[in-house]
Amino acid sequence: MEKESHFRYEKLEGPLAEKYMKANTHLHFSGFLKVYPSGCTVSANYPYHAERIRHLTVRPDDVWIITYPKCGTTWTQEMVWLLMNNLDYETAKNVDQTERSPFLEFGTFHKPGSEDKRGNSVDIVDDMKSPRCIKSHLPLDLLPEQLWTVKPKIIYVAREPKDVAASFYHHHRRSFCYTGTSEDFVEAFIAGIVGAGDQWDHTLRFWEKRKEPNVLFNTFEEMKKDLPGVVQRTAKFLNCTLNSEQLDKLCEHLSFESMKNNPAVSHETEQSKEHAENNAKVIGKIEPFIRKGEVGGWKSDIAPEVASKIDKWTEEKLKNTDYTIPS
């Protein structure tokens, strides 16, 4: 018997939603939905995958990297995969990160029956050998139920929202040929109608879980300020030990220049092939997937008056919480 659905869906509608969808000229799906109880924005193809994701078998030796998009996910995946795999740099440089650390819900961006093998992302995760290193941008309510009974290691990474908005805007330009302005994008971002929904709803649910023994809460800003310290803390969480030489080499591998020049993590080859033709619709320079990696880089992309809207939204969202904005 088919399991009863946990979810309720509503089509994303209204002038702001229509404006956002129209500006994404190269979407892999036909529209967006709001899924409840989370209230997250998902692709129109998400319902075909939702129950499989929700009922995925979780293994005790899994390591899950969960983030809102553009918060240091790729950076964290590379660090964690290497810690889990005896610092195997040879594989890390020659096998694409998407194979080593798959994106659980990637298939939701593809139509059912798509020839792209990545459309079977849940099967890919299910068939992986242990220990698995798994990436997801899903909010807590949409993730596999067994995460909270089996209790594998979960690493959450947060980031200051103005930098997230700027990076996500450029990601949309590159991946979805987004033709709107940064101001248009920020409007949609604050309204929570971009993919993955509201950043603060996403982050605060995991902030509440940060004291669970199987949860580690890192921030992008900490990684920029003290990468060796974050690497050591993460290694301890994963029951790994690094000597000073190993730590130095790992931090060098994780440096911005190294990551940017590593085809196994930069996504440059796959994205340039997939989007080169469609990117002609976008005016101005298309930034690479690994773009700046800076704290405060939003200042070159978001006008001060637009940034103040994000700050006001953040202040309202963090009211009555003990969350402190990383700096």
Side-chain angles (χ1 to χ4, degrees):
M1 181 180 291
E2 188 176 343
K3 294 183 175 70
E4 182 180 354
S5 176
H6 289 78
F7 310 116
R8 176 174 62 85
Y9 299 96
E10 292 179 0
K11 186 176 180 181
L12 193 65
E13 295 179 313
L16 186 56
E18 291 297 325
K19 184 179 181 181
Y20 170 70
M21 287 188 282
K22 185 177 180 180
N24 286 289
T25 60
H26 181 57
L27 292 173
H28 296 292
F29 41 85
S30 53
F32 294 90
L33 302 171
K34 280 282 188 182
V35 55
Y36 295 93
S38 74
C40 178
T41 302
V42 294
S43 80
N45 294 319
Y46 183 82
Y48 295 101
H49 305 264
E51 293 301 325
R52 283 225 52 215
I53 291 172
R54 190 66 174 161
H55 298 290
L56 180 77
T57 299
V58 174
R59 304 173 196 167
D61 58 355
D62 284 345
V63 178
W64 288 70
I65 297 160
I66 301 171
T67 71
Y68 188 83
K70 314 313 294 181
C71 287
T73 319
T74 301
W75 203 6
T76 302
Q77 284 175 276
E78 192 70 358
M79 169 178 65
V80 170
W81 187 88
L82 281 161
L83 289 171
M84 291 173 64
N85 289 275
N86 298 313
L87 304 176
D88 181 0
Y89 295 105
E90 187 67 23
T91 300
K93 291 176 182 178
N94 291 288
V95 177
D96 198 276
Q97 190 187 78
T98 57
E99 295 181 35
R100 295 180 280 121
S101 178
F103 184 8
L104 175 65
E105 65 271 20
F106 192 84
T108 68
F109 301 105
H110 294 264
K111 294 178 181 178
S114 168
E115 294 182 3
D116 190 329
K117 67 179 182 179
R118 296 172 299 175
N120 300 317
S121 56
V122 182
D123 289 338
I124 289 170
V125 169
D126 207 22
D127 293 342
M128 282 182 74
K129 293 181 180 180
S130 292
R132 302 181 298 187
C133 180
I134 304 164
K135 159 192 168 179
S136 180
H137 292 315
L138 291 174
L140 189 147
D141 291 334
L142 302 187
L143 286 162
E145 291 178 309
Q146 289 186 7
L147 281 180
W148 310 108
T149 54
V150 177
K151 298 188 175 182
K153 302 282 189 183
I154 296 171
I155 299 172
Y156 189 87
V157 190
R159 190 180 186 185
E160 195 279 330
K162 293 190 292 296
D163 277 331
V164 171
S167 184
F168 212 5
Y169 163 67
H170 282 288
H171 180 80
H172 272 63
R173 283 171 55 81
R174 181 173 184 76
S175 296
F176 304 135
C177 301
Y178 182 79
T179 57
T181 65
S182 61
E183 184 173 4
D184 291 338
F185 184 81
V186 168
E187 190 177 17
F189 175 75
I190 291 173
I193 64 173
V194 298
D198 186 296
Q199 182 190 351
W200 284 122
D201 290 350
H202 196 291
T203 296
L204 291 174
R205 290 300 305 278
F206 279 92
W207 179 248
E208 293 168 359
K209 295 279 189 181
R210 71 191 184 282
K211 294 181 181 178
E212 295 285 333
N214 65 311
V215 176
L216 177 65
F217 195 103
N218 287 338
T219 72
F220 180 93
E221 289 74 16
E222 289 176 296
M223 292 177 75
K224 288 297 294 184
K225 187 176 182 178
D226 181 15
L227 182 59
V230 175
V231 170
Q232 287 281 41
R233 182 170 70 211
T234 305
K236 181 179 180 181
F237 177 71
L238 297 174
N239 301 314
C240 300
T241 302
L242 298 175
N243 61 37
S244 58
E245 184 178 344
Q246 289 171 324
L247 177 62
D248 289 345
K249 185 174 180 179
L250 180 52
C251 288
E252 174 57 32
H253 180 84
L254 296 172
S255 69
F256 178 80
E257 287 303 319
S258 176
M259 293 282 287
K260 188 176 180 67
N261 293 318
N262 181 357
V265 298
S266 68
H267 303 301
E268 285 307 299
T269 302
E270 77 181 58
Q271 295 222 350
S272 59
K273 285 181 179 178
E274 189 173 354
H275 301 305
E277 200 172 297
N278 292 285
N279 281 343
K281 302 172 185 176
V282 182
I283 297 172
K285 181 183 177 183
I286 303 296
E287 296 285 351
F289 180 81
I290 296 180
R291 189 175 62 94
K292 282 187 177 180
E294 295 178 355
V295 174
W298 63 267
K299 294 173 185 176
S300 61
D301 296 292
I302 298 176
E305 61 272 19
V306 178
S308 68
K309 293 179 182 179
I310 299 178
D311 289 337
K312 184 177 180 181
W313 164 70
T314 292
E315 183 180 357
E316 186 62 30
K317 282 287 187 175
L318 297 187
K319 193 182 295 181
N320 302 319
T321 77
D322 60 352
Y323 189 88
T324 302
I325 295 287
S327 59

